[in-house]
Amino acid sequence: MNQNSKFPKGPIKTITGMSFHLSGNDIDTDRIIPARFLKCISFDALGDHVFADDRKEPNKNHPFDDIKNTNKSILIVDKNFGCGSSREHAPQALMRWGIRGIIGQSFAEIFYGNCLALGIPCVQIPEPEILSLINSIKSNQMQDLSINIQLQKILTNDQSWNIEIGNESREMLLSGEWDATSKLISQTNKINITMENLPYLNKFQNFEC
Amino acid sequence: MSTKTLYDKIWDLHTVSELPGGSTQLFVGLHLIHEVTSPQAFAALEEKGLKVFCPKRTIATVDHIVPTTSQSRPFSDSLAEQMLQTLEENCSKNSINFFNIGSGQQGIVHVIAPETGLTQPGMTIACGDSHTSTHGAFGSIAFGIGTSQVRDVLASQTLSMKKLKVKKLWFDGRLKKGVFAKDLILHVIQKLGVKDGVGFAYEFAGPAIERLTMEERMTVCNMAIEGGARCGYINPDQKTFDYLKEKPYSPKGDEWDKAIQWWKTLASGKDAKYDEETKFDASKISPTITWGITPGQAIEIDALLPKPESLNKSDQQTALDAYKYMNLKPGTSIEGLDIDVCFIGSCTNGRLSDLQSAAEIAKDRHVAQGVKAFVVPGSEKVAKDAEEQGLHHIFLKAGFEWRKPGCSMCLAMNPDKLENNQISASSSNRNFKGRQGSSTGRTLLMSPAMVAAAAVTGSVIDVRKLLH
Ligand code: SF4
């Protein structure tokens, strides 16, 4: 586990690190962090338990146990990664294990949003390209990879791939506004106006905040 | 882009501001919290020195970790006890109304908000739980959120969200006898897959949907998320209003009339535009059951398990994984498969009508030898209503256990768990690997009547064979 690196903060322009591939479509958040580990009131200890059950499967060196991956921070996945439960414990567990960026063919929506809110971009890359990326990683497992949010590209020393981030997420990452709270609380006036116009808070039920 | 749908109308009404990058700041009319996804949000709030902006619009309950045998305090599981205590403290510190154990209002968050009348048409409803889509059955826009968003809603009663596209799922006909709302939604997910709804809100409409009771509508919307759709909703109608009448938190007197007037304006108009539409014939749906490790891996009870090569290319690998994990063979029948555990409950099927349909099968029969069967009402109110009708006697006499309300073995965060590679027939919503508490445990999702049928025969069976 790569616990030493700091959690994301401020604007995120590029993420650089070594990467590894976790294969399988529809990997759900119950697998990323089984429900029994949700019994906690803080996220601190979750990193140890990421994929706890999958890693117990006999005769398999799970990528999260592979000693070569210990210091890697970029995860490459397949389709519909993070489906199922909305638990933020899943991205929290990945982050606390050491993951700082995820590249995949597609992501489940709530998971994607939860990652973004932690400053962990999930970037999309279509199937043919991801295969060439995975091949390149396989041929040189210790090479550094850069996810360049600005250019929307993945770069290695000698190769590059286009990625999709989505304009909104891209701006949020680049500006550092992926942590939405401060922006939201600055709009008190507008929040009050919206509340005044909601029938169920004023017209037929008495509103108390 | 969709226009004039219920989703569009509610979205516009709750829009506070447009945020940079195309996201919207959306007001949350009702915020529901529970013990699992809220403690870190309260901690983050405190860290930032922020207060709860609108404590009256947040309601708390405890459901995921509660034991269902004895609920006396302190719980024997000290972690569970600590989670409940943390929620109690957070609620009392922040003046949040908490439906605690013994209040008569405690239960699974998606059961208690509708049954108390908190869930109403036209609202935006958020909860740190993906099955929040359930509340869409009332014509609200309800969606699950992560813990960071729980923090945002506590701090501002708003969150940053991107507008979804809207897909209309139209159902002609009517469900046949022995076919339930659960079968309908499993059928949809089987046909459309677990990713079809990503980026969409599903509007369930058509004569077959209008015929459903409110509880059945909740079952359908509950599992929209299993099809990838963060929201599922149904336009409100007279049934919605009748259900809400006289509920503790429903408007009363003059206010009731005003509420109905407004609620009637919410449904998607005849001139509404959708991003996508698709049609089903409800009368062609059979009892449906999952056989694999995603809710989309489902079949009609009388069909043979699919050959992986007959599936879409992208589904083949998951199918192979599923066969290995479930220890099942393609081309064989699921009917007749022996069952170890039967679980009736959850936010999908833990309401009174679900228990009634299971009791109808359990009546004058007995749980098969070697099978453990238990019933977990979705809330204290469901338990009370069921007991008033004597359902618990029927279950107990038939050899089922009658438990206290909670999420229980839907996700097994309490002591209710599968052991080793036991197979369960379950009325819940997820059959993921390890979901029910054992990393090799196996789950078959089905309607509560089908679970009861499996319990009394000891194996998977078409419930229609047991109906009088
Ligand atoms: S019953 Fe199951 S799906 Fe529903 S809220 Fe509880 S754990 Fe989640």
Side-chain angles (χ1 to χ4, degrees):
Chain A
M1 215 170 33
N2 183 10
Q3 284 160 325
N4 297 329
S5 52
K6 295 207 181 65
F7 294 150
K9 225 180 161 184
I12 296 171
K13 300 198 160 93
T14 53
I15 291 164
T16 304
M18 290 183 287
S19 63
F20 64 103
H21 179 219
L22 177 74
S23 69
N25 294 330
D26 307 318
I27 292 183
D28 57 76
T29 50
D30 272 81
R31 281 173 67 187
I32 300 174
I33 188 83
R36 62 181 181 282
F37 299 111
L38 271 50
K39 256 198 235 161
C40 58
I41 52 168
S42 100
F43 291 128
D44 298 346
L46 291 178
D48 289 330
H49 305 304
V50 69
F51 289 107
D53 287 341
D54 285 8
R55 287 160 76 177
K56 273 199 313 221
E57 278 184 34
N59 313 326
K60 262 202 191 157
N61 188 13
H62 192 276
F64 278 78
D65 281 326
D66 192 333
I67 208 134
K68 286 199 292 294
N69 295 336
T70 315
N71 287 314
K72 296 186 177 174
S73 58
I74 295 174
L75 178 64
I76 304 175
V77 297
D78 297 333
K79 287 189 189 131
N80 199 29
F81 187 74
C83 58
S85 149
S86 65
R87 60 187 68 161
E88 188 172 315
H89 304 67
Q92 285 279 355
L94 290 166
M95 179 176 85
R96 282 160 205 275
W97 188 87
I99 299 300
R100 294 293 175 269
I102 312 181
I103 302 167
Q105 288 180 56
S106 61
F107 297 92
E109 207 169 302
I110 301 180
F111 177 83
Y112 178 95
N114 283 344
C115 283
L116 186 64
L118 296 178
I120 298 183
C122 294
V123 304
Q124 272 180 276
I125 166 167
E127 188 158 2
E129 272 97 287
I130 205 163
L131 289 179
S132 100
L133 174 67
I134 292 168
N135 285 335
S136 159
I137 301 302
K138 275 198 186 136
S139 65
N140 179 1
Q141 298 199 18
M142 293 305 179
Q143 69 182 318
D144 264 344
L145 208 88
S146 265
I147 305 176
N148 189 314
I149 305 290
Q150 185 91 50
L151 303 175
Q152 305 207 57
K153 274 186 194 310
I154 297 172
L155 304 162
T156 60
N157 268 344
D158 49 359
Q159 272 177 295
S160 81
W161 295 267
N162 290 325
I163 49 174
E164 244 178 66
I165 305 173
N167 279 342
E168 174 207 6
S169 314
R170 186 161 159 263
E171 274 181 41
M172 286 166 80
L173 288 163
L174 293 174
S175 64
E177 275 177 13
W178 45 271
D179 169 10
T181 319
S182 24
K183 181 84 195 162
L184 296 176
I185 55 174
S186 69
Q187 308 273 2
T188 319
N189 279 342
K190 287 186 178 167
I191 299 173
N192 286 331
I193 293 171
T194 308
M195 289 198 287
E196 278 159 26
N197 285 323
L198 281 173
Y200 63 87
L201 293 185
N202 301 289
K203 297 235 162 53
F204 59 85
Q205 266 175 343
N206 282 333
F207 175 59
E208 285 173 290
C209 220
Chain B
M1 224 175 61
S2 66
T3 53
K4 298 190 180 163
T5 67
L6 174 136
Y7 182 85
D8 292 286
K9 295 182 203 178
I10 298 181
W11 181 272
D12 290 346
L13 204 56
H14 290 79
T15 296
V16 173
S17 70
E18 300 299 340
L19 298 171
S23 209
T24 299
Q25 180 175 10
L26 197 70
F27 184 80
V28 174
L30 175 65
H31 182 214
L32 303 166
I33 58 172
H34 58 79
E35 75 282 16
V36 181
T37 53
S38 70
Q40 301 86 355
F42 281 109
L45 209 64
E46 221 157 272
E47 238 170 62
K48 287 182 189 264
L50 296 170
K51 279 218 179 62
V52 177
F53 180 76
C54 196
K56 291 265 155 47
R57 302 308 303 169
T58 292
I59 301 283
T61 190
V62 58
D63 50 8
H64 286 66
I65 52 97
V66 296
T68 57
T69 42
S70 159
Q71 296 186 333
S72 63
R73 301 281 301 275
F75 294 155
S76 54
D77 176 347
S78 61
L79 273 175
E81 176 63 28
Q82 190 193 10
M83 289 175 85
L84 175 47
Q85 280 182 18
T86 307
L87 183 60
E88 285 171 333
E89 280 160 27
N90 284 329
C91 287
S92 80
K93 234 195 290 179
N94 295 289
S95 313
I96 289 168
N97 194 356
F98 179 30
F99 294 178
N100 207 341
I101 294 172
S103 64
Q105 295 183 309
Q106 176 267 344
I108 306 173
V109 62
H110 311 308
V111 176
I112 58 151
E115 77 186 5
T116 53
L118 281 166
T119 298
Q120 293 171 17
M123 287 180 169
T124 45
I125 302 178
C127 173
D129 191 284
S130 52
H131 292 96
T132 308
S133 58
T134 314
H135 308 263
F138 290 80
S140 64
I141 294 304
F143 44 84
I145 56 179
T147 298
S148 311
Q149 288 174 309
V150 174
R151 176 199 64 202
D152 290 348
V153 178
L154 288 172
S156 69
Q157 203 59 35
T158 66
L159 43 70
S160 158
M161 210 179 169
K162 213 163 174 184
K163 197 173 175 196
L164 298 168
K165 291 186 276 187
V166 185
K167 177 164 177 161
K168 178 156 83 172
L169 277 58
W170 181 267
F171 296 81
D172 284 315
R174 62 168 75 226
L175 292 174
K176 285 186 303 217
K177 195 168 161 51
V179 182
F180 298 87
K182 180 64 158 290
D183 301 305
L184 183 147
I185 190 64
L186 284 174
H187 176 82
V188 168
I189 302 166
Q190 181 210 357
K191 293 294 174 223
L192 301 182
V194 292
K195 297 187 266 289
D196 179 74
V198 175
F200 284 92
Y202 277 170
E203 175 177 309
F204 298 98
I209 296 293
E210 285 162 26
R211 287 193 176 101
L212 298 178
T213 64
M214 289 313 294
E215 296 198 351
E216 291 171 321
R217 292 178 188 185
M218 285 187 250
T219 301
V220 171
C221 291
N222 174 275
M223 287 191 70
I225 184 68
E226 306 308 331
R230 198 165 177 183
C231 295
Y233 71 85
I234 293 170
N235 288 307
D237 60 10
Q238 194 56 43
K239 269 190 199 163
T240 321
F241 312 147
D242 292 346
Y243 177 98
L244 284 171
K245 189 131 189 125
E246 310 298 338
K247 293 276 186 285
Y249 288 91
S250 296
K252 308 268 161 18
D254 272 2
E255 297 186 342
W256 173 255
D257 300 329
K258 283 190 216 156
I260 293 215
Q261 256 180 30
W262 179 58
W263 291 344
K264 284 185 173 162
T265 66
L266 294 169
S268 298
K270 286 213 165 62
D271 51 351
K273 282 206 176 58
Y274 298 86
D275 298 285
E276 281 183 23
E277 295 184 47
T278 184
K279 271 193 180 177
F280 293 87
D281 181 350
S283 51
K284 295 218 170 93
I285 299 174
S286 304
T288 302
I289 169 172
T290 66
W291 58 270
I293 51 172
T294 80
Q297 290 172 324
I299 50 167
E300 293 77 36
I301 181 72
D302 43 13
L304 299 178
L305 292 175
K307 300 233 161 78
E309 57 275 18
S310 71
L311 300 171
N312 282 339
K313 211 149 183 252
S314 60
D315 295 334
Q316 293 180 3
Q317 189 53 46
T318 320
L320 291 172
D321 271 6
Y323 279 118
K324 193 164 156 235
Y325 183 84
M326 299 297 290
N327 193 21
L328 293 172
K329 289 210 172 49
T332 61
S333 167
I334 191 110
E335 202 170 3
L337 180 70
D338 287 346
I339 294 294
D340 302 304
V341 178
C342 289
F343 168 62
I344 296 171
S346 87
C347 60
T348 314
N349 284 126
R351 297 185 180 79
L352 186 64
S353 58
D354 301 313
L355 306 196
Q356 285 167 332
S357 72
E360 199 184 320
I361 301 297
K363 195 168 181 344
D364 300 326
R365 295 195 172 95
H366 203 277
V367 171
Q369 217 177 6
V371 172
K372 174 191 169 72
F374 62 116
V375 184
V376 185
S379 70
E380 291 182 345
K381 179 171 189 309
V382 171
K384 181 166 164 269
D385 292 351
E387 285 172 8
E388 275 170 17
Q389 296 187 3
L391 299 186
H392 62 316
H393 289 311
I394 298 179
F395 286 120
L396 288 165
K397 202 169 152 222
F400 289 79
E401 294 171 45
W402 178 252
R403 299 287 189 83
K404 301 263 190 295
C407 294
S408 180
M409 211 181 67
C410 173
L411 94 166
M413 274 187 78
N414 73 346
D416 308 331
K417 293 177 180 10
L418 291 181
E419 287 165 21
N420 305 320
N421 67 347
Q422 280 184 323
I423 297 197
S424 80
S426 179
S427 72
S428 54
N429 46 49
R430 283 188 176 145
N431 52 345
F432 300 149
K433 288 180 178 176
R435 169 78 176 183
Q436 293 191 296
S438 159
S439 58
T440 50
R442 297 170 287 168
T443 302
L444 308 176
L445 303 175
M446 58 190 88
S447 69
M450 286 271 286
V451 176
V456 297
T457 59
S459 58
V460 173
I461 180 173
D462 186 338
V463 64
R464 292 174 297 191
K465 295 179 184 166
L466 300 189
L467 286 173
H468 304 295

